[in-house]
Amino acid sequence: MSTSQVEPETMERQRPAHAPADHTSVAKPKVGVVLANLGTPDATDYWSMRRYLSEFLSDKRVVDYPSWKWQPLLQLVILSRRPFKSGEAYRSIWNSEKNESPLLTITREQTRKMAEALEARHGDRVRVDFCMRYGNPSTDSVLRRLQAEGCERILFFPLYPQYASPTTATANDQAFRTLMRLKWQPAIRTVPAYFEHSAYLEALASSVREAYAAAETPPEVLVASYHGVPKRFLTEGDPYHCQCQKTTRLLRERLGWPEGGIHTAFQSQFGPEEWVGPPTVDHVAELARQGKKHIAVVSPAFSSDCVETLEEINEEIRDSFLAAGGERFTYVPCLNDRDDHIAALVAIAENELAGWL
């Protein structure tokens, strides 16, 4: 069970070994696992979107321009307009039943399933929870709650198969900021990039096979679309672009397809500088102009469907392909809470928990 479902009063407490009889009882020592995802606005209205976007776009890992140059532009120009457009995008995919974003719904379900799997193996020694880098539940609140519940060791698990400074690194940064403010820090480990893990690759390949089997006719091309980063990140030491290219190759080999069977492209570009490419929205249009009538798009860098997949890929990028002459577009959903994906995440977590459990 996720720690967010456990009331502090019900947590098992005990007097520390060798402590005097009048020593205050403390929570029984446990190991925590925290799944960390990107984040979500609390709602789709202007002010909710503005708060979320301000936190996201003020992160120096995301936009590393000098504050004196970037913040006036962000606060006075970009955030006066962008919350309206982003709110519209979120409304098109919003989980109206739960009144939350799909990313929050899916991450909660991933956490529940991982908790069940880990607790079945290790009992109540393990607590599994999730946090968001931007928005709620915050990284700080979750780590503090786990510590209060007796988690003296915590595995922090950014849900990004490929490492990138604006994703993995900033999630870890936020966890470390909380540690900097704690009098009693738990021991902490972070999960590295896992795009080469066999179970992850098999789950990804299975999702492609299933999407192709469900299609009336097989797509002619599969496009692996990754979130973009500025091109200068490559020369500054970020391995993300290389890991994305390798993910595509490993996926192709797992599927048994020939070279050229999967194209790599990058989405979500903004700003004036050059980004890694080709841009997905342009690449799919070019495929249509080349005579491709049916393509599929998969998102190997996203562990959960979100606005970048459900709205950007399955709406904007789909429209770009169809407007250029394409006829059929197949979106391969993210791995989300598929059983094989959860099994992969559990295997990765247990490997990183070696010696703790």
Side-chain angles (χ1 to χ4, degrees):
M1 176 164 56
S2 169
T3 58
S4 60
Q5 300 170 337
V6 178
E7 293 297 329
E9 308 86 60
T10 67
M11 298 299 298
E12 184 177 354
R13 304 180 73 85
Q14 63 184 20
R15 180 168 55 87
H18 311 298
D22 61 350
H23 193 287
T24 303
S25 63
V26 296
K28 183 179 178 181
K30 302 174 188 68
V31 174
V33 177
V34 179
L35 304 182
N37 219 325
L38 182 72
T40 173
D42 294 324
T44 62
D45 61 278
Y46 173 84
W47 289 109
S48 295
M49 291 304 311
R50 183 178 177 116
R51 283 193 302 272
Y52 173 72
L53 290 172
S54 181
E55 183 181 11
F56 173 51
L57 295 174
S58 294
D59 185 348
K60 285 294 186 112
R61 291 283 195 181
V62 175
V63 181
D64 57 1
Y65 302 148
S67 296
W68 64 266
K69 179 187 295 185
W70 174 242
Q71 281 299 321
L73 177 63
L74 174 65
Q75 300 297 332
L76 299 177
V77 180
I78 296 173
L79 291 181
S80 66
R81 301 193 304 263
R82 185 159 177 172
F84 292 109
K85 182 178 180 181
S86 295
E88 183 180 354
Y90 270 96
R91 280 191 292 276
S92 72
I93 64 163
W94 200 249
N95 183 342
S96 55
E97 181 181 348
K98 293 181 178 293
N99 191 28
E100 63 188 25
S101 72
L103 178 69
L104 181 56
T105 305
I106 293 166
T107 306
R108 184 187 296 109
E109 190 63 11
Q110 290 171 328
T111 303
R112 184 187 68 79
K113 289 188 174 184
M114 279 197 70
E116 290 179 352
L118 286 170
E119 290 173 15
R121 290 171 169 82
H122 307 288
D124 64 359
R125 297 169 58 202
V126 181
R127 289 283 185 260
V128 184
D129 212 330
F130 72 95
C131 68
M132 298 294 176
R133 170 61 183 89
Y134 316 104
N136 296 302
S138 71
T139 302
D140 184 77
S141 66
V142 171
L143 290 179
R144 288 177 182 273
R145 180 169 63 245
L146 285 173
Q147 186 204 38
E149 293 173 351
C151 291
E152 298 178 359
R153 304 165 188 250
I154 295 176
L155 179 68
F156 192 74
F157 196 154
L159 289 174
Y160 307 110
Q162 302 80 17
Y163 172 95
S165 172
T167 54
T168 312
T170 191
N172 290 339
D173 287 348
Q174 197 73 347
F176 299 147
R177 288 187 186 102
T178 293
L179 264 62
M180 291 171 63
R181 295 189 291 266
L182 292 177
K183 290 293 185 184
W184 183 2
Q185 294 179 336
I188 193 163
R189 293 175 179 174
T190 61
V191 175
Y194 56 92
F195 67 97
E196 295 177 288
H197 195 281
S198 177
Y200 160 74
L201 287 168
E202 184 55 36
L204 188 61
S206 293
S207 72
V208 173
R209 294 189 195 104
E210 291 169 15
Y212 271 54
E216 292 184 14
T217 58
E220 300 164 76
V221 174
L222 176 63
V223 177
S225 182
Y226 302 84
H227 199 290
V229 294
K231 195 169 185 178
R232 62 183 166 83
F233 279 29
L234 276 68
T235 58
E236 293 173 352
D238 193 309
Y240 177 70
H241 180 264
C242 296
Q243 291 184 0
C244 291
Q245 296 287 355
K246 189 171 184 179
T247 302
T248 299
R249 176 175 64 79
L250 293 173
L251 173 60
R252 178 180 59 78
E253 292 173 355
R254 179 70 56 145
L255 290 166
W257 292 2
E259 289 191 26
I262 308 178
H263 297 196
T264 299
F266 296 87
Q267 63 187 84
S268 307
Q269 302 183 20
F270 68 92
E273 66 179 306
E274 186 178 4
W275 283 47
V276 296
T280 306
V281 68
D282 297 336
H283 187 65
V284 298
E286 180 59 28
L287 288 173
R289 287 191 287 268
Q290 291 173 5
K292 305 299 182 185
K293 298 301 182 184
H294 184 189
I295 67 168
V297 177
V298 65
S299 304
F302 297 90
S303 64
S304 313
D305 273 310
C306 55
V307 71
E308 284 86 356
T309 61
L310 298 174
E311 193 276 337
E312 185 176 0
I313 290 179
N314 209 24
E315 294 182 20
E316 294 179 26
I317 290 171
R318 174 193 290 269
D319 290 347
S320 176
F321 175 69
L322 298 178
E327 296 177 358
R328 304 187 67 182
F329 184 98
T330 296
Y331 171 61
V332 182
C334 291
L335 296 179
N336 296 326
D337 65 339
R338 290 171 55 105
D339 289 344
D340 51 4
H341 186 216
I342 300 302
L345 297 179
V346 168
I348 293 163
E350 287 193 316
N351 181 67
E352 299 303 324
L353 287 165
W356 280 6
L357 292 174

